[in-house]
Amino acid sequence: MADTVGQPSGGLHHWISNLLWLADEGDHKDIVARIMQAARVQPAAVASLLVQILQQDEVSVRQKVAAYEGLRTMLLEQGMEAGLIGSLIAVASQHMRAAPEEALSELQAAASDTLAALAGCCFGPVMRELQKHLRPFVLPAEFTLLTLGKVIAASVYRCVPFLGITLTTMQTVMRGIDDSRRRGAFCTALECMCGAISTYLRSWERSTYPQITLQRFSAYLLPMYQHLISVWLPSEDTEVKLAVLKALGPMLNILLPRKDLQNQIYGDIPLLLAQYRENIEAFYITKVLGQILQASSSNNPIPEVHVEALSHTLSYQVTSKAQRPYRLCRENHTEISHIFLQLARSHPSELLGIFHRKLEMGRGDTRVGILALMSDVIGAEVPGMPSWKHLCIKSVKSVLTDGSPRVRVAVLQAIGTLVTAGYLDKVEGWPLNYIALQLAVSANSLERPVRSLPLGGLLEKMVQKTSLAALEIIIASGRGISQELWARLLGYVTRTPYTDSMTPLCRCLRILAEKRQQHRQAAHDCRKPVASPTPQQLLARLLVLSASPFEGEGRGVAALLLLNALRPELYGDEAEQWWMEIPAMVQYLDGHSKFSLDQTAWEHKLLEFLRKTLERSKEGGWSQDLSQELGQQMGSYASGSVEKAFLCKVLGTALAMGKDVAAVKGQLLELLRMADYLNGTELECLGSCLQLCARDQLDAILRALGDFEEEMAEGEDSWHLSLCKGLAPWERDRVKSALLLFYSSAAAQAPPQQLLPLLVDEIVPKILHHYSTSSQALGLNARQMVTSSEYDPSVSPRAHAARAGASA
């Protein structure tokens, strides 16, 4: 044991000893903090005492580890007196080199870290101590190697004089190392040294030592590289394999710049590829291969004989589900993509030929992976690749008949990449036909019950979304602006299977509408607007979609912007102020989120926008056509959904603006006949429709309710109407209860001057009739006509009094 330093004062000695005893049971962090409190007052005494404790055999390992941690913290904050450095180096070196049966690895690691920290202020003594225990042909201790690597990595320029002799000595000892722990330590030390050498070579002028060239360093490293790649890497120990691969990376940074060594290293590619069969992290193998490919250039590319093996093995890494889930799987795939880019630069025809064969012969995941790799290569704009565009297109077309959703998504992504790269001279042929087909197939699939689709329809939704993304790329490129595509995309807007993809669809149509407008102005093109869908259909659909503005990636803004883009081609006087109104609504949404938006206030804005639009219409039948379209769309939405509830409000607003009272009454009567009177949510929606309609069409509502009641009365006697046929008494009561709701809804919003003359003569008698012919007590419903209007400030006190009197 090293000579014991002088013992400090007894009080401090007792306090530190008691404190270190706590290390056997608790966390070292608090102990180190308290040691540092004492060290700031008596630094020399505390440091001397800690070194003395390290020299005592009876002190436990955990106490010594805590003492080392305290000394390291003191070194970082205060340094250390010169008189203690020799003793600390000696005891730490002894602990670091102790045999595994004499000292736990925890103590060896603590001693190693302390020596590395001490080298920051006392490099020379620490390096001499390490060199003393690194002798030619003598097996070094595991932590001697690890500490040497740490010290060199932390002191790059000061270690330059020692690098030559250190590397030479390591050449002599590595052949005798046969245990896995020491091999792992050797590789870790070599990794640190090579990293330090690379740093030195980039900025050698910062060192005061004469320059050492890359050729000299590579001469030191080449024998060790050969032994690592030929002896240690093929060994059975996976930990050693991993350590070798980690060391090869920094080592190749020094060896590969030498052209005369590249061919030799290229010859090791098959050996590296064979490591993928082992149970080790694939990323480190790929990283080494990536370094080798990165070093290859047009002057000295890798031999063509390796292209097939590299492509097959690396594509298998991307496409095979049999591969175990590596921790660095994403990083591995990124590195593989970089390797294929290098192969495309050096051997484009061979690589694309391999891709084409794999796409023709492969299935499923293989095709998905190869298409993704080929898209990466095309999108990277590799010099010379456009001359092989015919082979790229041929490869994509070879899998157009594959019906797998994942393959279809990959093909669509590849088409988008081909368009972006300018490889497709014409998109009106097979590319647009394929996209249109996928949109149609996915829409038809999504119309089926969700439970019958794989993954609940998620794959088909992905196909739909990717189709629209590819279509957006084509449209943005200025191609594919045909009347057929325009009509087809507008038709998609009105179909509910496309609801989840409405945002990209609206974006595509908006770009297309703007380009059509530019083309029409430049070429004075007078193409006729499409006959279907009609402007009313589009307005109805886009307004309803805007009711949930933050669903589907913000479809509200997309729908409104599309509506504004359609204005020049499809709309007339009614859209005269849209150029101001729509941007104002978009700005309103931009100031909110899904959680801050007041849904009632937002719906009110949309309904007010619709009301102003209909007021400006000079065509008498425009509002009627819109209300007819809204009625037809009623069955497209689920009962209880926000969209259907808002659709009823839009319908009520449109009916209120209608100029043909008979037509309004007829449509209201049809709504009353088709309603599901056992569904409370649907009745509420219909009530909101009547409420908004009553502002201008109270007479039409009362006529429709009267006609409906007459049909119902006939049904009570003859029971021949489908409305009442088969209904139990309580179910007929539900219809009558609904009629009470409808009367109260209409009365709640009707103008007082229209309501008062009709209240006593028409409304109250009908309520009393339904109440008296019911088998249940409907007093609550009868009173609802009065109470439901109390919140409306537009109803005068006189009307309230009249209603209250009627109720009494």
Side-chain angles (χ1 to χ4, degrees):
M1 182 65 67
D3 295 336
T4 304
V5 298
Q7 178 175 325
S9 60
L12 181 62
H13 180 279
H14 181 71
W15 184 81
I16 292 290
S17 298
N18 288 339
L19 187 61
L20 289 176
W21 285 339
L22 299 176
D24 290 327
E25 299 177 359
D27 185 20
H28 292 178
K29 185 181 295 184
D30 184 55
I31 296 171
V32 172
R34 296 173 68 181
I35 290 175
M36 288 307 300
Q37 289 178 355
R40 294 185 184 100
V41 180
Q42 304 179 62
V46 172
S48 177
L49 180 57
L50 290 175
V51 173
Q52 179 187 351
I53 289 173
L54 290 172
Q55 294 170 336
Q56 298 173 4
D57 293 336
E58 63 273 14
V59 176
S60 71
V61 168
R62 291 189 61 82
Q63 292 181 41
K64 290 181 179 180
V65 170
Y68 274 124
E69 290 180 5
L71 286 167
R72 284 202 305 276
T73 307
M74 290 179 64
L75 283 169
L76 293 173
E77 289 191 10
Q78 303 171 342
M80 184 170 290
E81 289 188 356
L84 290 174
I85 290 175
S87 299
L88 179 57
I89 290 176
V91 69
S93 176
Q94 184 175 358
H95 287 150
M96 175 190 71
R97 293 177 290 104
E101 61 271 11
E102 297 177 7
L104 297 175
S105 59
E106 184 182 9
L107 178 59
Q108 292 176 304
S112 172
D113 291 340
T114 303
L115 283 174
L118 193 57
C121 59
C122 307
F123 177 79
V126 173
M127 181 56 78
R128 285 193 293 272
E129 177 68 22
L130 293 172
Q131 292 292 331
K132 184 170 66 176
H133 301 290
L134 183 69
R135 298 189 297 274
F137 303 105
V138 177
L139 294 183
E142 174 190 355
F143 278 91
T144 299
L145 293 167
L146 293 174
T147 308
L148 190 61
K150 295 175 191 175
V151 171
I152 291 177
S155 308
V156 174
Y157 302 104
R158 288 187 288 179
C159 74
V160 173
F162 299 91
L163 283 173
I165 188 171
T166 301
L167 292 171
T168 302
T169 304
M170 291 178 71
Q171 289 181 29
T172 66
V173 301
M174 74 177 301
R175 296 182 182 279
I177 299 176
D178 54 5
D179 63 288
S180 59
R181 288 179 62 90
R182 217 181 308 242
R183 284 184 173 183
F186 186 96
C187 291
T188 302
L190 191 58
E191 180 184 358
C192 294
M193 291 178 194
C194 290
I197 291 170
S198 295
T199 302
Y200 168 78
L201 291 172
R202 289 194 298 269
S203 54
W204 61 269
E205 64 278 359
R206 293 178 58 183
S207 174
T208 57
Y209 193 77
Q211 180 184 6
I212 303 177
T213 63
L214 180 141
Q215 284 71 21
R216 283 186 60 188
F217 280 124
S218 59
Y220 290 131
L221 292 173
L222 183 60
M224 287 188 279
Y225 166 81
Q226 292 171 335
H227 192 75
L228 287 176
I229 203 77
S230 62
V231 179
W232 287 12
L233 186 61
S235 67
E236 298 296 328
D237 196 308
T238 56
E239 294 297 326
V240 173
K241 287 177 180 288
L242 188 58
V244 169
L245 290 168
K246 289 181 178 180
L248 285 177
M251 187 181 292
L252 288 173
N253 287 335
I254 302 167
L255 297 177
L256 282 170
R258 285 184 53 176
K259 301 290 185 183
D260 57 321
L261 298 181
Q262 287 180 357
N263 289 332
Q264 178 181 341
I265 295 172
Y266 293 163
D268 296 325
I269 289 177
L271 185 58
L272 290 167
L273 291 175
Q275 303 310 309
Y276 282 112
R277 296 192 293 268
E278 306 296 334
N279 191 27
I280 57 177
E281 186 69 59
F283 168 70
Y284 296 105
I285 309 170
T286 310
K287 189 176 180 181
V288 173
L289 289 169
Q291 284 182 268
I292 296 174
L293 269 292
Q294 185 68 36
S296 66
S297 62
S298 58
N299 296 328
N300 189 27
I302 65 166
E304 186 179 329
V305 68
H306 296 309
V307 176
E308 181 82 30
L310 279 166
S311 301
H312 175 74
T313 304
L314 295 177
S315 62
Y316 183 77
Q317 287 291 310
V318 175
T319 61
S320 176
K321 288 184 177 180
Q323 297 296 310
R324 71 183 184 91
Y326 295 110
R327 182 173 56 88
L328 299 173
C329 183
R330 179 176 298 177
E331 293 84 349
N332 186 43
H333 287 185
T334 301
E335 194 66 36
I336 287 174
S337 180
H338 292 161
I339 291 177
F340 276 107
L341 291 181
Q342 295 299 328
L343 289 174
R345 289 186 175 94
S346 57
H347 302 281
S349 61
E350 291 81 0
L351 180 63
L352 291 175
I354 293 169
F355 281 168
H356 182 63
R357 291 194 296 273
K358 285 185 173 293
L359 286 172
E360 282 191 324
M361 300 171 59
R363 291 289 183 272
D365 292 332
T366 299
R367 288 179 166 178
V368 171
I370 296 299
L371 285 169
L373 290 171
M374 191 167 69
S375 295
D376 290 342
V377 169
I378 296 170
E381 299 181 355
V382 176
M385 277 296 292
S387 60
W388 300 97
K389 64 181 182 180
H390 65 283
L391 189 51
C392 298
I393 296 171
K394 182 179 178 182
S395 299
V396 174
K397 292 174 73 173
S398 67
V399 293
L400 294 183
T401 57
D402 194 316
S404 165
R406 288 188 172 89
V407 176
R408 289 154 59 201
V409 167
V411 171
L412 290 163
Q413 291 171 337
I415 290 174
T417 305
L418 289 171
V419 173
T420 303
Y423 282 24
L424 289 174
D425 299 323
K426 186 178 180 182
V427 298
E428 284 76 9
W430 68 269
L432 273 179
N433 290 338
Y434 185 80
I435 293 172
L437 176 63
Q438 299 314 310
L439 284 170
V441 170
S442 62
N444 290 334
S445 298
L446 291 172
E447 287 178 342
R448 299 202 301 267
V450 172
R451 292 183 179 180
S452 66
L453 299 174
L455 297 180
L458 289 177
L459 293 177
E460 290 299 333
K461 290 179 181 179
M462 179 59 69
V463 171
Q464 193 177 87
K465 184 176 181 179
T466 312
S467 299
L468 290 169
L471 196 57
E472 186 174 354
I473 293 172
I474 290 175
I475 294 171
S477 69
R479 293 179 286 177
I481 309 176
S482 66
Q483 187 78 352
E484 180 185 358
L485 177 63
W486 174 248
R488 182 178 291 173
L489 292 183
L490 287 175
Y492 292 157
V493 172
T494 61
R495 295 186 59 185
T496 52
Y498 293 95
T499 300
D500 289 338
S501 301
M502 196 54 62
T503 299
L505 178 58
C506 289
R507 202 160 50 231
C508 287
L509 276 165
R510 179 165 57 88
I511 297 172
L512 191 54
E514 291 169 355
K515 290 189 175 295
R516 282 170 63 88
Q517 179 68 7
Q518 294 169 6
H519 184 75
R520 190 162 48 245
Q521 292 173 349
H524 303 289
D525 186 2
C526 298
R527 293 181 185 175
K528 294 182 179 179
V530 294
S532 178
T534 64
Q536 290 87 347
Q537 283 180 293
L538 291 168
L539 177 61
R541 175 69 167 153
L542 293 173
L543 274 179
V544 172
L545 289 172
S546 301
S548 302
F550 296 106
E551 298 295 328
E553 302 177 358
R555 71 186 182 206
V557 170
L560 290 172
L561 291 177
L562 172 59
L563 199 58
N564 201 26
L566 295 174
R567 174 174 53 88
E569 185 168 343
L570 297 182
Y571 297 97
D573 297 330
E574 62 277 355
E576 185 179 5
Q577 300 298 319
W578 282 7
W579 66 276
M580 290 190 303
E581 294 168 345
I582 290 179
M585 290 193 291
V586 170
Q587 186 177 9
Y588 179 81
L589 289 177
D590 289 340
H592 291 276
S593 68
K594 181 178 181 179
F595 306 101
S596 66
L597 183 71
D598 185 334
Q599 184 68 25
T600 302
W602 172 241
E603 290 183 1
H604 177 74
K605 283 183 176 293
L606 291 174
L607 294 174
E608 187 65 17
F609 166 75
L610 174 62
R611 187 184 63 78
K612 291 179 179 179
T613 297
L614 295 177
E615 283 178 350
R616 288 191 293 264
S617 177
K618 296 179 181 178
E619 298 180 21
W622 212 94
S623 177
Q624 181 180 339
D625 292 342
L626 177 62
S627 59
Q628 290 289 342
E629 178 56 38
L630 289 165
Q632 292 176 9
Q633 291 187 16
M634 195 74 74
S636 301
Y637 301 96
S639 178
S641 64
V642 174
E643 290 79 7
K644 185 160 188 177
F646 183 69
L647 178 63
C648 290
K649 296 176 183 178
V650 174
L651 177 58
T653 303
L655 288 170
M657 303 299 294
K659 296 178 174 59
D660 187 342
V661 177
V664 172
K665 189 208 79 170
Q667 190 165 357
L668 288 171
L669 182 57
E670 186 65 22
L671 289 173
L672 293 170
R673 290 169 175 167
M674 300 303 295
D676 181 1
Y677 290 90
L678 302 182
N679 187 328
T681 303
E682 187 166 332
L683 294 181
E684 288 180 11
C685 291
L686 185 52
S688 66
C689 173
L690 295 174
Q691 193 174 55
L692 290 168
C693 180
R695 293 178 178 179
D696 296 292
Q697 299 284 1
L698 179 60
D699 186 58
I701 291 175
L702 294 179
R703 289 185 189 181
L705 287 171
D707 290 352
F708 178 75
E709 287 165 335
E710 289 179 6
E711 293 178 359
M712 184 176 169
E714 294 175 6
E716 287 177 347
D717 297 330
S718 62
W719 229 219
H720 69 280
L721 289 181
S722 60
L723 171 68
C724 299
K725 187 176 182 179
L727 291 181
W730 70 269
E731 291 175 321
R732 293 197 297 275
D733 286 345
R734 290 291 298 271
V735 177
K736 295 181 179 183
S737 177
L739 290 171
L740 294 177
L741 171 65
F742 297 158
Y743 276 112
S744 67
S745 298
Q749 292 294 329
Q753 62 272 20
Q754 295 182 25
L755 176 64
L756 290 175
L758 299 172
L759 191 62
V760 176
D761 296 335
E762 293 191 33
I763 298 177
V764 172
K766 297 291 182 65
I767 292 175
L768 294 176
H769 168 72
H770 294 309
Y771 173 73
S772 62
T773 57
S774 302
S775 60
Q776 297 182 4
L778 297 178
L780 180 62
N781 301 80
R783 290 174 58 86
Q784 187 174 352
M785 184 188 74
V786 179
T787 59
S788 63
S789 63
E790 290 177 356
Y791 68 88
D792 190 351
S794 65
V795 180
S796 66
R798 182 179 176 184
H800 281 296
R803 295 179 193 185
S807 177

